[in-house]
Amino acid sequence: MDSEPSPQRRRLFVQNFGCQMNDYDVERMREVLGRQGYDAADSADDADLIVINTCSVREKAEAKVASAAGRWKELKQQRPGLVLAIGGCVAQQEGERLLRRIPVADFTFGPDQIGALPDLLGRHALGRRRFAATEVIDVEDYRFLTAEPRPSSTKVTALVTIQKGCDNHCAFCVVPATRGREVSRPWREVVDEVGRYVAAGARELTLIGQNVNSYHGVGADNARGDGDDFAELLARVDAVPGLVRLRYTTSHPHDFTTRVADAFRDLPRLAQWLHLPVQAGSSRTLKRMVRDYTREQYLRQIDYVRSVCPDLSLSTDIIVGYPGETDAEFEETLSLLAYVQYDSIYSFEYSERPDTPALKLALRDNVAAEVKAERLQRVQALQKEITARRLGRWVGRRAEVLVEGESARHPGQLCGRTTGNEMVNFAGPPSLIGRLTKVAITGARSHTLVGEHADAGHRLPVLA
Ligand code: SAM
Ligand code: SF4
């Protein structure tokens, strides 16, 4: 009997920009294209298909894409069969315009088109015309791509998406325009996918979405939730056998309920780390941002979650130089940082983005570039001191570390994270990879900890 000829193997190279959502999308692209005979290329030079996956959250995104595409132009001239596709949020937002701006691109595709990549490649192979595939799938018809983790390529940590899109209207943000309406993934799919990752060797799973607290996939009808659906989902995932640690990101304070906060106390695998973006410390700025909470409400949430989980590590996002931000408003951001004492922050200068509510509200980008730069520098200088203090609290204690692998930056050392998401480097045998182990923390660098593998004889107090 004749057997099916195996498809000709080809090679895929992906250059990725942006957030964890984009990391997740790249994994799905690899899987979808893997089934079409594409293996990972070591470099663009060996590739038959190059995908640039783009992010448009902050400015210069298109410039980055153009410079990335420019790099492969010569390669395409040398190898006419090489295909260059541009995916992600810039592709979604710019559509045909991006094709005109980047003549070297064969086609572009938005985030909803990842599952259709084989068809898009077929269309490219058949036709002569370049095209932009930016159709958005209706909420009712949207189906999440299923991850099929393999033991050979699964790492200790993995991402599972629970949601796509966003229904909020934060005035600075382009995400609702590029990723569309919010859809929650049915809880059963989430739990099953977590189970498959654990079976393939993952130990720590991070549930991802733009606004995970508004998840509403627990009920059969996918009806809008109130934050408690997310708490229920966390409880169901926490119970997956073999899972060692669970994290989630990103939370929006608007839907962060006390039940979600209580999960830090009640769920044994839920890591003691919360990323709760505040964006600004002034209620007036927050109002112009259309964030739907005040400084006081946010701080009450912080106080509550710290009361149920005193050693929680916290991180946040900050934007400086938002339209109309006065010196006094900015000072409130500094005072909020000083009050909360985050373990780490991501901080950005505001950049005007197309198709955002800020433009419709006529909020012009009116804070001078030098003022933005100076404010960013002050935020980062303050946070540097706070981070040093927060990391310092581990020194002299034993931390429970989930070992992720060998450190790329510190050869000969292992690396892993505490429950609070702090990276720890220490010397130890590779057999520890994938396991929880005790590390005596001996010092702190600017963003990471260093330690010694602690055997049973260590007498330092255990923090986590
Ligand atoms: N969904 C998340 C949330 O609600 O916080 C984050 C989404 S966004 C991908 C990540 C961060 O980028 C935001 O929290 C914000 O601090 C920053 N960001 C978004 N739009 C921005 C803009 N126009 N200018 C500067 N920073 C921006
Ligand atoms: Fe953007 Fe706000 Fe949605 Fe986050 S919650 S993705 S900042 S609109």
Side-chain angles (χ1 to χ4, degrees), residues 57 165-177 182 209-211 250-253 255 277 279 289-291 317 319 357:
V57 166
C166 181
D167 281 350
N168 284 326
H169 304 280
C170 306
F172 51 79
C173 184
V174 76
V175 169
E182 183 183 312
Q210 291 295 350
N211 178 19
T250 295
S251 290
H252 188 299
D255 303 295
Q279 312 296 357
M289 288 179 165
V290 194
R291 285 289 285 184
D317 293 346
I319 296 177

Side-chain angles (χ1 to χ4, degrees), residues 82-97:
L82 173 64
V83 179
L84 176 65
I86 302 183
C89 291
V90 177
Q92 183 65 38
Q93 193 174 306
E94 296 296 309
E96 299 277 343
R97 277 192 304 247

Side-chain angles (χ1 to χ4, degrees), residues 51 68 96 105 122 161 175 251 286 337 362 366 373 397-398 451-452:
V51 175
E96 299 277 343
T161 192
V175 169
S251 290
L286 290 170
L337 293 180
N366 61 358
R397 296 161 101 173
R398 262 195 308 169
E452 287 166 13

Side-chain angles (χ1 to χ4, degrees), residues 167-446:
D167 281 350
N168 284 326
H169 304 280
C170 306
F172 51 79
C173 184
V174 76
V175 169
T178 57
R179 297 231 168 213
R181 299 291 309 273
E182 183 183 312
V183 188
S184 285
R185 189 176 192 184
W187 72 270
R188 173 55 71 195
E189 273 185 38
V190 175
V191 166
D192 287 350
E193 192 158 298
V194 169
R196 284 197 301 280
Y197 268 110
V198 170
R203 293 292 169 261
E204 176 181 301
L205 270 295
T206 302
L207 306 182
I208 58 168
Q210 291 295 350
N211 178 19
V212 292
N213 310 97
S214 73
Y215 173 83
H216 46 91
V218 166
D221 56 356
N222 215 345
R224 232 186 132 72
D226 53 6
D228 286 349
D229 254 29
F230 182 58
E232 183 57 36
L233 178 74
L234 284 177
R236 292 180 192 193
V237 175
D238 194 77
V240 171
L243 179 70
V244 172
R245 260 193 203 153
L246 174 61
R247 298 186 195 277
Y248 59 84
T249 193
T250 295
S251 290
H252 188 299
H254 182 241
D255 303 295
F256 187 76
T257 62
T258 52
R259 220 185 126 198
V260 176
D262 290 346
F264 286 114
R265 179 193 59 213
D266 300 337
L267 299 182
R269 294 176 188 85
L270 185 61
Q272 300 195 353
W273 170 76
L274 172 64
H275 182 65
L276 193 62
V278 66
Q279 312 296 357
S282 152
S283 296
R284 279 173 300 166
T285 319
L286 290 170
K287 193 162 183 201
R288 289 198 303 284
M289 288 179 165
V290 194
R291 285 289 285 184
D292 291 342
Y293 54 86
T294 62
R295 171 190 176 99
E296 291 69 32
Q297 284 165 334
Y298 181 88
L299 291 180
R300 271 201 294 279
Q301 286 178 330
I302 295 291
D303 290 344
Y304 181 78
V305 72
R306 280 225 162 107
S307 76
V308 296
C309 185
D311 210 30
L312 188 73
S313 288
L314 277 163
S315 63
T316 201
D317 293 346
I318 297 284
I319 296 177
V320 299
Y322 188 70
E325 186 186 63
T326 62
D327 286 341
E329 287 176 14
F330 171 66
E331 291 296 332
E332 288 190 77
T333 294
L334 294 179
S335 70
L336 183 131
L337 293 180
Y339 177 84
V340 177
Q341 299 279 304
Y342 294 102
D343 295 83
S344 63
I345 65 167
Y346 297 92
S347 51
F348 314 101
E349 291 178 18
Y350 173 71
S351 59
E352 196 169 87
R353 306 305 299 130
D355 302 324
T356 50
L359 299 188
K360 291 181 200 112
L361 294 167
L363 289 162
R364 306 312 314 180
D365 187 7
N366 61 358
V367 177
E370 318 78 76
V371 175
K372 282 183 191 168
E374 197 235 329
R375 287 180 185 170
L376 188 67
Q377 190 274 327
R378 286 181 65 195
V379 157
Q380 291 178 346
L382 171 60
Q383 185 56 40
K384 196 171 166 194
E385 284 170 26
I386 298 171
T387 296
R389 245 190 331 269
R390 292 290 295 168
L391 281 176
R393 85 193 196 280
W394 290 94
V395 178
R397 296 161 101 173
R398 262 195 308 169
E400 194 164 51
V401 172
L402 177 60
V403 186
E404 292 179 16
E406 290 177 18
S407 167
R409 293 189 66 183
H410 304 284
Q413 301 243 310
L414 296 176
C415 62
R417 285 173 196 273
T418 66
T419 184
N421 218 12
E422 289 92 2
M423 180 59 84
V424 183
N425 292 112
F426 67 101
S431 57
L432 290 174
I433 295 171
R435 289 171 49 194
L436 278 176
T437 195
K438 297 285 190 313
V439 177
I441 305 298
T442 53
R445 300 191 180 105
S446 51

Side-chain angles (χ1 to χ4, degrees), residues 442-458:
T442 53
R445 300 191 180 105
S446 51
H447 296 285
T448 59
L449 298 168
V450 286
E452 287 166 13
H453 186 217
D455 57 40
H458 265 267

